Amino acid sequence: PDADVHGLDRAADLARSLELDSMDFLGFLTAIHKELGVAIAETDYAQVRTLAGCVDYVTAHRPARSR
């Protein structure tokens, strides 16, 4: 969905804040994988529920060539 991400609280739940349903959230994770080369395992979904969590996860798991 179209969302205004300006002013998004880094600690807020992304799905709730951006009104993402489960398919939207999976699409978001797929885009992260496609654009940044970071695959997020289902067991790690809780770690990427917030903007801060996403940034931390991607930073920690991004392939060296993309840094």
Side-chain angles (χ1 to χ4, degrees):
D2 293 325
D4 180 13
V5 295
H6 301 291
L8 183 63
D9 183 344
R10 291 179 43 88
D13 183 279
L14 288 173
R16 273 191 229 127
S17 297
L18 300 176
E19 298 179 7
L20 303 176
D21 63 23
S22 59
M23 292 304 294
D24 292 330
F25 188 70
L26 287 175
F28 172 68
L29 299 180
T30 299
I32 289 173
H33 183 227
K34 182 178 177 182
E35 295 298 321
L36 302 174
V38 177
I40 302 170
E42 188 173 352
T43 55
D44 292 337
Y45 287 0
Q47 295 179 52
V48 296
R49 296 304 295 182
T50 66
L51 179 58
C54 256
V55 170
D56 292 345
Y57 190 93
V58 168
T59 300
H61 294 89
R62 191 167 55 181
R65 68 182 181 280
S66 303
R67 291 184 182 168

